[in-house]
Amino acid sequence: MRTRFAPSPNGPLHLGHAYAALVAHDAARTRGGAFVLRVEDIDGERSRAEFVASAFEDLEWLGLRWDEEAVFQSHRLARYAAAGERLKDMGLLYPCTCTRAEIAAAARASGPDGPVYPGTCRGRGVDGAHAAWRLDVARALALTGPLAWRDEAAGTQVATPEIFGDVVLLRKDLPASYHLAATLDDAADGVTLVTRGMDLFPASHVHRLLQALLELPVPTWLHHPLLLEADGRKLAKRRGSPALADRRAAGEDGSAIADALRAGRLPAGISLSQGLHHRP
Ligand code: GLU
């Protein structure tokens, strides 16, 4: 079995990342599997090399070793583009030039990521040269039929990717999107247990659909609770959660912090999100 930790290097890691890394690392270690590190650095504007270096040091400081050389999404753009072409050839993608504001104004429903794109550009024959490409989810589901996936904690789920509307698979500025890149990479990296935070539970519906369309192996998932601030919101550097790098620089003991997290001992004011009811 294989697990992965897949940080986006657009900021320093904090305790929530440490928790996510531990879940993936310890699942591999206790089950005799491999732990893979994948840097999700395709967000060119926000990804920074210094955050990559610092994340590596943070993980080592926490006592977490990965088993193979880390992989970088930025090295894999050709692979994402090829999958995009394949989906276009299947007639499942269409170009869209709508702005966020236009979508917000036209949306009739709200989904996991905010206003649900109402399909404005579907069938409109927009010029694809400077457009994002969206998946025609209804057409895709008609092709695959009903799909299911399994979360180790929440059990078997019927895939409902339509809750997002027609998701963007190829961004205007990039031949990929989070959904496409993460799904292709989990397959390429041989990941058999995808662990990640509950906030990404809904995304797995989309990933399951992409696996069916692209004939990829289907992993099992384990969505774990999130570390929350006293106000109930997710830990975030911008709200003042201390960076692991700062604690490391201050001489704190990383493996003691990891062991405290394992034992469920959290700093004052921080708690774990409750329950498995993260269904939309
Ligand atoms: N790169 C994502 C993040 O840092 C994680 C994606 C995933 O685990 O699928 O939130």
Side-chain angles (χ1 to χ4, degrees):
M1 65 87 69
R2 293 165 67 87
T3 65
R4 79 330 188 252
F5 175 55
S8 303
N10 48 27
L13 301 191
H14 54 62
L15 207 60
H17 297 104
Y19 186 81
L22 273 166
V23 170
H25 170 273
D26 290 6
R29 291 292 168 262
T30 54
R31 303 180 202 194
F35 172 57
V36 174
L37 177 56
R38 179 169 80 228
V39 181
E40 303 212 321
D41 60 345
I42 48 173
D43 202 334
E45 273 171 31
R46 297 167 64 216
S47 292
R48 300 233 300 267
E50 73 213 57
F51 292 134
V52 177
S54 171
F56 286 12
E57 285 177 45
D58 292 340
L59 292 173
E60 288 186 359
W61 173 72
L62 290 165
L64 308 182
R65 301 284 177 275
W66 50 102
D67 290 307
E68 292 154 20
E69 223 177 295
V71 292
F72 289 78
Q73 288 195 324
S74 57
H75 300 173
R76 291 175 157 180
L77 293 179
R79 197 185 294 195
Y80 308 145
E85 287 309 311
R86 180 168 164 195
L87 294 168
K88 282 183 195 172
D89 290 345
M90 291 166 78
L92 294 176
L93 302 193
Y94 63 88
C96 167
T97 49
C98 293
T99 62
R100 262 177 211 279
E102 284 165 346
I103 296 169
R108 294 181 294 270
S110 177
D113 286 345
V116 173
Y117 176 72
T120 319
C121 290
R122 197 191 305 125
R124 231 174 59 173
V126 169
D127 175 9
H130 303 287
W133 289 76
R134 291 181 179 273
L135 177 66
D136 186 332
V137 172
R139 183 177 277 197
L141 278 173
L143 206 65
T144 63
L147 297 167
W149 55 278
R150 195 170 72 83
D151 179 281
E152 283 194 348
T156 299
Q157 311 291 315
V158 174
T160 55
E162 65 276 12
I163 54 175
F164 286 90
D166 290 349
V167 283
V168 170
L169 292 190
L170 304 172
R171 282 164 36 168
K172 195 156 73 173
D173 57 337
L174 193 75
S177 68
Y178 161 66
H179 294 305
L180 184 63
T183 304
L184 288 168
D185 282 347
D186 285 334
D189 299 331
V191 175
T192 57
L193 179 66
V194 173
T195 67
R196 60 180 166 222
M198 288 279 199
D199 52 337
L200 288 170
F201 193 106
S204 300
H205 292 300
V206 177
H207 300 186
R208 180 66 190 89
L209 175 59
L210 292 177
Q211 285 153 2
L213 296 171
L214 295 167
E215 298 171 291
L216 302 172
V218 182
T220 302
W221 281 261
L222 176 59
H223 293 92
H224 58 73
L226 303 174
L227 266 57
L228 303 179
E229 311 251 4
D231 63 3
R233 291 196 297 173
K234 232 172 51 149
L235 243 60
K237 178 66 169 79
R238 72 191 121 85
R239 288 198 292 273
S241 298
L244 297 178
D246 292 341
R247 302 182 64 173
R248 179 158 52 78
E252 284 193 59
D253 179 348
S255 16
I257 290 176
D259 284 340
L261 282 176
R262 287 185 175 106
R265 285 197 307 278
L266 302 173
I270 293 181
S271 61
L272 273 184
S273 63
Q274 294 297 310
L276 295 167
H277 46 263
H278 212 80
R279 301 276 342 236

